[in-house]
Amino acid sequence: MAYIKRAAEETVMRISQMFPVLLVTGPRQVGKTTLLQKIAENQQNIGVERKYVTLDDPDVRYLAKTDPALFLQRYSPPVLIDEIQYATELLPYIKMSVDRSKRKGDFWITGSQVFRLMKNVSESLAGRVGIVNLLGLSDAEIYGEPSEPFQTDAAYLMKRLSVRTQRDLNEIYDRIFKGSMPELHADKSMDWETYYRSYVDTYLQRDIRDLTQVADEMQFYNFMTVVAAHTSKPVIYEELASAAGISAPTAKKWLSVLLSSHVIALVQPYHNNALKRIVKMPLLHFLDTGLAAYLLRWGNPEALEKGAMSGAFFESYVFSEIYKSYLNAGKEPPVFYYRDKDKREIDLLLYQNGTLSPIEIKKAASPGKAAIKNFRVLTPASQEENFAGLDSLKVTIGTGSVICMTNNLLPVDENNWYVPVWLI
């Protein structure tokens, strides 16, 4: 199977040179091990021979759990340990090893069960581990184009025009329907439905079954389907619970499981003292639109594009591309959204360096100026008189974007731009 170059390669190398332990985490089958094995292969050219061991192997796992010290004698650093969550007993011994050696990049570890893993890592390896969150493929990776964190300013967007390839509506929805899993893009013979059926079965049987708060796998599967149907909507636990036939507290627990395993992302509402009547509900996005399409039984890209959820899938696709552009660069995505009690919404806000940049996401090719009408609700946050002496809380309103199906990068007015979706 062909290797698809990952945008996070440089991030992984940089963090490995900063910390003795590198943890690459993310959902199942997004290519964590493949990425690290490729980098380890490249390191052989400079004389670094890194051992590889997977804790999926029951014999190896038994040794790691029952005699961690002997395990680390057998697999001494530099080493890549796959699926570390199956033997967290290793973590204190890894800590002792790196404290003795003081070498950077001794241990590379991967883990997909983040809900179990992160607590153990933070307790055992505090200050010694650098973490890279890897999601499915981005457009930049699929099409072999440069990747960098998305910005809304005109100079950045103009520069992107020379390195991105224009795609039409059908190509965009083919991409949305197919999803982001590397195997589906690297192996053209892979059947989409068979792949996602296997993926869901593996996720339910190997990850969810281990969680004490999930007693019924089929009920959890039904809940995943309900969550997929709510992609790009604010989270109302009572609504999710009612649709899934469970209690609201259970819905909250199970949503945290999907969040921890990077199946979904929750976008927090932007808060500012000058902005009143803001709702406090987070916004939900399914991170792999292909998985969401499978769960909701969409049969092909054409049906999805014409269907009732076409706009919601388009929004989640745009969000996930922007979100991944930051993660792949090793940065925390600076993403928020706006919604108030008067039902005025802004789909996405990027907040960086004291600047708040609004983004509206529309499937239309010509959304019109109405698309930016809610951007003005942010104005009070940029006015010093609204902060009663705390003018350090004041923000600058940056360039706004309407990401849509337009063919060209065009100004809406002097502060906002229509941005083709293929440019993100």
Side-chain angles (χ1 to χ4, degrees):
M1 188 171 69
Y3 174 74
I4 297 174
K5 182 175 174 58
R6 302 306 300 263
E9 285 182 16
E10 290 183 9
T11 300
V12 167
M13 285 304 303
R14 186 178 76 251
I15 292 179
S16 178
Q17 290 163 5
M18 294 169 59
F19 294 92
V21 183
L22 165 75
L23 167 62
V24 178
T25 186
R28 287 196 170 275
Q29 299 178 30
V30 295
K32 300 182 294 294
T33 306
T34 304
L35 166 63
L36 291 180
Q37 286 181 320
K38 182 66 175 179
I39 296 174
E41 183 182 310
N42 294 339
Q43 283 189 326
Q44 289 179 348
N45 298 329
I46 57 172
V48 178
E49 293 291 336
R50 187 174 298 272
K51 302 178 183 70
Y52 169 74
V53 58
T54 176
L55 298 179
D56 267 333
D57 184 319
D59 293 331
V60 172
R61 182 163 67 241
Y62 179 79
L63 175 62
K65 291 177 75 68
T66 57
D67 197 339
L70 184 61
F71 176 92
L72 290 182
Q73 287 183 37
R74 169 64 182 83
Y75 300 103
S76 56
V79 61
L80 164 54
I81 305 173
D82 206 7
E83 303 291 4
I84 191 70
Q85 74 273 3
Y86 290 134
T88 54
E89 294 86 353
L90 283 171
L91 295 175
Y93 290 84
I94 291 175
K95 173 183 177 292
M96 289 187 285
S97 175
V98 300
D99 284 351
R100 283 194 302 268
S101 73
K102 309 293 186 186
R103 287 191 302 266
K104 308 296 185 186
D106 259 4
F107 290 89
W108 291 357
I109 58 180
T110 76
S112 51
Q113 289 184 5
V114 187
F115 30 75
R116 168 183 295 176
L117 180 60
M118 294 310 294
K119 181 174 182 291
N120 291 305
V121 166
S122 61
E123 288 175 354
S124 301
L125 298 176
R128 300 166 181 85
V129 60
I131 300 172
V132 175
N133 294 308
L134 188 71
L135 297 181
L137 296 173
S138 66
D139 279 3
E141 292 168 321
I142 291 169
Y143 302 114
E145 296 168 346
S147 174
E148 56 185 321
F150 179 77
Q151 308 290 332
T152 60
D153 69 272
Y156 166 88
L157 294 170
M158 291 286 190
K159 187 176 71 171
R160 295 282 282 173
L161 284 171
S162 64
V163 297
R164 298 309 297 262
T165 304
Q166 186 170 340
R167 291 183 288 279
D168 62 21
L169 181 69
N170 291 333
E171 290 173 305
I172 293 294
Y173 272 85
D174 281 347
R175 163 75 179 87
I176 291 172
F177 179 79
K178 192 168 190 176
S180 301
M181 291 300 177
E183 194 167 355
L184 285 171
H185 292 273
D187 184 354
K188 304 302 182 186
S189 66
M190 179 67 65
D191 179 72
W192 178 89
E193 185 174 357
T194 302
Y195 176 86
Y196 276 114
R197 184 189 306 121
S198 172
Y199 183 89
V200 171
D201 286 348
T202 303
Y203 178 67
L204 291 174
Q205 292 172 12
R206 297 191 62 183
D207 290 346
I208 301 306
R209 181 182 289 174
D210 292 341
L211 298 174
T212 56
Q213 64 262 53
V214 178
D216 186 330
E217 290 173 23
M218 288 311 300
Q219 198 171 34
F220 188 85
Y221 174 84
N222 183 45
F223 177 73
M224 283 179 67
T225 303
V226 168
V227 171
H230 283 75
T231 192
S232 81
K233 293 182 179 179
V235 174
I236 303 173
Y237 292 108
E238 292 77 10
E239 193 176 297
L240 294 174
S242 175
I246 56 178
S247 68
T250 299
K252 193 169 186 176
K253 284 183 183 176
W254 287 3
L255 201 70
S256 73
V257 171
L258 293 176
L259 179 66
S260 298
S261 48
H262 299 294
V263 172
I264 64 165
L266 294 183
V267 188
Q268 297 303 320
Y270 176 75
H271 289 286
N272 187 294
N273 290 356
L275 303 177
K276 310 298 183 186
R277 298 173 58 79
I278 295 174
V279 300
K280 296 182 179 179
M281 299 176 292
L283 188 71
L284 183 156
H285 282 291
F286 233 77
L287 286 170
D288 188 327
T289 50
L291 175 58
Y294 168 78
L295 290 169
L296 295 171
R297 296 293 185 261
W298 291 103
N300 55 66
E302 295 75 22
L304 178 60
E305 188 274 318
K306 293 181 174 69
M309 291 198 67
S310 176
F313 269 76
F314 187 78
E315 284 187 36
S316 289
Y317 159 68
V318 170
F319 167 80
S320 66
E321 285 300 303
I322 293 174
Y323 192 73
K324 283 183 280 194
S325 76
Y326 283 89
L327 290 182
N328 287 337
K331 298 179 181 293
E332 183 70 22
V335 293
F336 300 88
Y337 87 108
Y338 178 93
R339 181 183 172 98
D340 62 28
K341 292 177 182 176
D342 297 321
K343 297 187 177 178
R344 294 177 296 186
E345 297 183 28
I346 300 174
D347 293 327
L348 201 57
L349 297 168
L350 298 182
Y351 182 51
Q352 303 175 87
N353 304 317
T355 299
L356 195 62
S357 303
I359 298 173
E360 193 67 17
I361 304 168
K362 299 290 184 187
K363 181 191 168 190
S366 304
K369 286 194 173 184
I372 64 169
K373 68 175 188 273
N374 289 335
F375 289 3
R376 63 177 178 268
V377 302
L378 301 175
T379 301
S382 66
Q383 298 169 334
E384 290 183 16
E385 61 267 24
N386 293 321
F387 294 96
L390 296 173
D391 53 332
S392 60
L393 298 176
K394 179 179 74 72
V395 301
T396 300
I397 307 302
T399 305
S401 292
V402 181
I403 297 175
C404 57
M405 284 304 307
T406 182
N407 289 325
N408 299 302
L409 177 65
L410 296 169
V412 182
D413 57 27
E414 60 183 9
N415 298 315
N416 304 285
W417 290 75
Y418 295 121
V419 179
V421 65
W422 47 265
L423 199 58
I424 61 174

